[in-house]
Amino acid sequence: MTYTGWILLTASLVGLSCGIVGVFLILRRMAMMADAISHTVLLGIVTAFLITRELSGPHMLIGAIVAGLLTAVLVQWFNSRGVQQDASIGVVFTTLFAIGVILIATQVGNAHLDTKHALMGEITFVPWDLMHVPLLGEVPKATFMLGAVLLVVVIVILTFYKEWKITSFDPALAASIGIPVVLMHYVFMSLVSITTVAAFDAVGAIMVVAMLITPAAAAYLWTDKLSIMLVLSGAFGVISAFTGYYIAVWLDTSISGSMAFATGIVFLISFLFSPKHGVLSRYLHKFNTHGSQEKLDGTS
C-alpha cells in the first residue's frame, strides 16, 4: 500500500471506531466525557512510560484505560456528592490533564512524548513505524492497533446491542429488568478509553474529540433509528478523514487538524440539510404548512 493509502486507512479506522462509540456518548448525554478522557489518558500514558521507560507496548493501553476509568469514577463520585456533572467533568479533566503535562515537563526528559504531539498527533509518521503481522506482512503499528480496537468495539457493541440500547435510552428501565447498569457504564468507559488511546499517538487529542462527537452528532440529525445512526456516524468519520486529508494537501497544513475541521463541515451540512432536523427542511415544512393554511383560509 502507498504512503497516502496507509494514512487514509489509519484515519478511516479512527473515524469508524470513534464514530461508533460516539453515538452512545451522544445518546447518554456524555459528549464532554469524550473531551475529558481524550485528555486525561495522557496521564495514564505518561505514568506507564515512567514505570516501564518504554514508549510502546500493552502497558500504554493499560495505563490509558486506568486513566479513563479513573476519570469516569471521579466524575461520577463528585456528581453523586452534589457537584453538577459538567462542573465535575471540568474539574477532573483539567486536574488530571495538568498532572500529565507537569509529569511530561519534569520527568519524561528527551523521550518522544510532549504536549504538542499529544494534542495534534502526527499521522504523517504512521507509515514509517512498522511491525510484521503474519499473512499481512509489514503493517504500521498504529494501523494494526486501530484495526484491532475497531474489531473489539464492533464485537462488544453487537454482543450487548440490546443492553446498550436500553441503558442508553432508559437506564431506570434497564435497572428494573436486571441489566447491570453501573457495570455497563464502566465497560463503555473502557471502550472509550481504548478507542481514545489507540488513536491518541497517531492523530492527537483534538482529532479524537472531533471524531468521537461530531460525526455522531451529525448522524443524530439524520435518523432516530440506532442501527442506522451507528452506520451513518462511522461513514461520516471516514468521509471526514478523506476530505480532511485532501484539504490538508491543498492548504499544506496539519492533516489531523484538517480532518477535525472536516468533521465540522459534515456537521454543518447535516445541520442545514438533514430531512427531519435540518434548518432548511424545517423552513420548508413551516413554509408549506403556512401556505396550506392560507389556502384553507381563502377557501373557507
Side-chain angles (χ1 to χ4, degrees), residues 12-34:
S12 296
L13 290 172
V14 173
L16 282 169
S17 54
C18 289
I20 292 170
V21 171
V23 167
F24 292 98
L25 281 171
I26 294 294
L27 293 177
R28 290 164 177 255
R29 302 180 186 278
M30 298 175 65
M32 290 311 298
M33 279 298 290

Side-chain angles (χ1 to χ4, degrees), residues 197-273:
V197 74
F200 197 85
D201 187 54
V203 299
I206 292 175
M207 183 174 160
V208 172
V209 175
M211 286 291 192
L212 278 170
I213 298 174
T214 319
Y220 186 82
L221 294 172
W222 287 92
T223 181
D224 294 327
K225 191 172 181 180
L226 178 58
S227 57
I228 297 176
M229 199 181 300
L230 289 168
V231 172
L232 279 177
S233 183
F236 288 158
V238 174
I239 290 169
S240 299
F242 274 75
T243 304
Y245 176 79
Y246 288 106
I247 289 174
V249 171
W250 177 44
L251 297 177
D252 189 24
T253 187
S254 165
I255 295 175
S256 295
S258 297
M259 289 177 180
F261 172 69
T263 65
I265 295 175
V266 170
F267 177 79
L268 181 61
I269 292 171
S270 301
F271 181 72
L272 293 174
F273 301 110

Side-chain angles (χ1 to χ4, degrees), residues 163 186 233:
E163 288 81 357
Y186 288 115
S233 183

Side-chain angles (χ1 to χ4, degrees), residues 59 78 87 97 139 298:
H59 58 277
F78 281 123
F97 182 61
V139 176

Side-chain angles (χ1 to χ4, degrees), residues 31-43 45 68 71 93 97 118-119 192-193 195-197 200 204-210 212-213:
M32 290 311 298
M33 279 298 290
D35 192 19
I37 290 177
S38 67
H39 283 77
T40 56
V41 292
L42 178 66
L43 175 59
I45 291 170
T71 303
F93 147 45
F97 182 61
L119 288 173
V192 176
S193 300
T195 304
T196 299
V197 74
F200 197 85
I206 292 175
M207 183 174 160
V208 172
V209 175
L212 278 170
I213 298 174

